[in-house]
Amino acid sequence: MIELKNISKLYKTKNGEITAVKDVSLTIQQGEIFGIIGYSGAGKSTMIRLLNGLEKPSSGKVLVGGQEISSISGGKLRAARQKISMIFQHFNLLWSRTVEENIAFPLEIAGVKKEERTKRVNELIELVGLSGREKSYPSQLSGGQKQRVGIARALANNPEVLLCDEATSALDPETTDQILELLLDINKRLGLTIVLITHEMHVIRKICHRVAVMEAGSVVEQGEVLQVFQNPQAPITKNFVMQVSGKKEAKESIEQILEHFTSGKLVKLTFIGTKSEQPIISHLIKEFDIEVNIVHGSISQTTKGSYGNLIIQLNGKDSKVEEALLHLESLEIQTEVIEHA
């Protein structure tokens, strides 16, 4: 659906050239929700402008739906952009227009007849959960409602791709979750390809199927979200995962335990999918006659399943503890004996 081939983007300034994107290659499948995450200055905003043709790459190719966006201009580019819609961090609504008038605006530009416009606007208002607010102005809406208008407007011309540029950054956590659930529902209902640009790992974890991590203009890591959470490779990815997986608190707990650790073994267990819901602890105590002390635990939900960490202290006869560890490994639970934080 979307393919970036060795994309680079350089800007010339009075102080010399700045590389905003450096040799990036990505493939985004039709109907998936793909996240691009990075801190400020990582090149995310440039990436999204390359995807919709607002910027031309200095080198490389951008293909959307088989069409090379990076090599067309004029009417062909405008026609291609009708298949690529966008929602923004600060909504970008027309403040002098009502909800229904904002949603109808791109249909007016496209020359859609009034009767058809009205029908489409009503469908979209219901889809995004704004029934009853049709005549309201943006100043009368909450942040979440404004973003719902932005999403409805972006869907007006039946796009194939929806680009989301920090679409939840201006919202509180509860409203963020509601908007993410709406995007997930739209993705499932319409089969829409969604590209999310964000600096929040919670957003990636909540709805994305795959993720690319950017740093200093380069993609330093990419893969399925569950795999990235399970085994982050790049230091920046580890920092992002730590933000939402409780790993920072786990490290502090381990440090405190190790200061006074005199017996037994400290073990980290990693669960994936349904294994995170199994009664492992009670089974260990009953089956192997050992003491199990839970030091720290957390479960993160992704679109491909649960990912959990549990840090436990095992006390008992050495032979029984070893048997318990072998049993855990036989259940395909990743097991690591911890000797330092």
Side-chain angles (χ1 to χ4, degrees):
M1 178 44 152
I2 299 174
E3 192 172 1
L4 306 183
K5 295 183 176 181
N6 304 109
I7 290 295
S8 292
K9 179 63 181 179
L10 283 69
Y11 293 101
K12 292 182 179 180
T13 70
K14 61 181 181 181
N15 297 320
E17 285 187 340
I18 295 175
T19 302
V21 174
K22 183 179 179 181
D23 195 29
V24 169
S25 294
L26 290 175
T27 299
I28 300 172
Q29 304 298 331
Q30 183 172 350
E32 81 171 326
I33 304 178
F34 191 93
I36 300 175
I37 188 169
Y39 292 118
S40 179
K44 309 187 302 299
S45 296
T46 302
M47 282 280 286
I48 207 166
R49 292 173 66 84
L50 289 166
L51 287 174
N52 62 15
L54 289 174
E55 295 279 4
K56 298 287 186 182
S58 302
S59 61
K61 295 180 180 180
V62 179
L63 294 96
V64 179
Q67 186 170 25
E68 190 178 337
I69 298 292
S70 51
S71 66
I72 58 176
S73 58
K76 287 185 178 180
L77 181 57
R78 286 192 293 273
R81 280 185 185 149
Q82 287 191 351
K83 298 179 181 180
I84 307 169
S85 282
M86 192 164 172
I87 57 175
F88 307 88
Q89 177 179 0
H90 297 297
F91 322 124
N92 286 17
L93 301 181
L94 300 169
W95 294 87
S96 61
R97 284 179 169 243
T98 63
V99 166
E100 59 186 4
E101 289 169 343
N102 264 281
I103 298 170
F105 186 60
L107 297 170
E108 293 174 22
I109 294 174
V112 177
K113 293 181 179 179
K114 185 175 180 181
E115 185 177 340
E116 190 178 339
R117 280 203 315 264
T118 301
K119 180 182 176 183
R120 180 63 176 154
V121 167
N122 289 336
E123 290 173 352
L124 290 166
I125 285 173
E126 184 175 350
L127 176 67
V128 301
L130 283 174
S131 297
R133 304 309 303 264
E134 296 90 338
K135 305 297 182 183
S136 299
Y137 288 90
S139 61
Q140 299 170 311
L141 303 176
S142 67
Q145 289 170 333
K146 290 172 188 172
Q147 195 56 284
R148 288 173 187 269
V149 177
I151 292 169
R153 181 183 59 186
L155 297 176
N157 281 317
N158 294 300
E160 297 175 2
V161 177
L162 179 63
L163 305 177
C164 305
D165 188 9
E166 299 281 6
T168 59
S169 295
L171 306 175
D172 62 76
E174 184 177 350
T175 306
T176 290
D177 281 348
Q178 292 170 359
I179 294 299
L180 294 177
E181 290 289 349
L182 174 59
L183 290 173
L184 189 59
D185 181 57
I186 289 169
N187 168 258
K188 290 177 179 177
R189 284 198 200 187
L190 307 180
L192 192 66
T193 303
I194 298 177
V195 182
L196 279 169
I197 304 291
T198 185
H199 65 274
E200 299 173 296
M201 199 62 176
H202 168 72
V203 171
I204 300 295
R205 182 190 68 185
K206 183 84 175 177
I207 67 168
C208 292
H209 302 122
R210 291 191 299 134
V211 61
V213 183
M214 289 195 72
E215 184 176 27
S218 298
V219 171
V220 296
E221 189 165 353
Q222 60 176 301
E224 290 192 359
V225 171
L226 186 57
Q227 293 175 348
V228 170
F229 263 81
Q230 179 189 355
N231 191 26
Q233 298 296 309
I236 188 172
T237 311
K238 292 177 181 178
N239 287 339
F240 278 125
V241 171
M242 192 176 291
Q243 290 175 8
V244 293
S245 65
K247 286 190 174 183
K248 182 177 180 181
E249 292 81 358
K251 183 178 180 180
E252 293 172 352
S253 298
I254 292 168
E255 288 173 346
Q256 292 175 6
I257 289 290
L258 288 175
E259 285 180 8
H260 309 287
F261 199 70
T262 57
S263 63
K265 288 189 176 181
L266 199 61
V267 181
K268 176 185 174 183
L269 309 179
T270 301
F271 305 85
I272 300 174
T274 56
K275 291 184 178 65
S276 63
E277 301 167 6
Q278 296 177 6
I280 301 298
I281 299 303
S282 59
H283 180 74
L284 289 179
I285 294 170
K286 292 175 183 178
E287 190 74 19
F288 298 98
D289 192 27
I290 57 177
E291 293 181 0
V292 181
N293 176 37
I294 298 175
V295 177
H296 181 87
S298 65
I299 294 179
S300 297
Q301 300 292 335
T302 75
T303 54
K304 292 293 182 70
S306 303
Y307 163 72
N309 281 314
L310 190 63
I311 298 169
I312 58 176
Q313 182 181 2
L314 302 180
N315 279 305
K317 290 182 180 180
D318 290 345
S319 60
K320 291 293 184 181
V321 170
E322 290 301 326
E323 285 179 21
L325 291 174
L326 289 171
H327 177 69
L328 289 169
E329 291 176 3
S330 73
L331 296 175
E332 297 182 353
I333 295 171
Q334 187 177 323
T335 305
E336 177 189 354
V337 177
I338 299 172
E339 296 179 354
H340 57 81

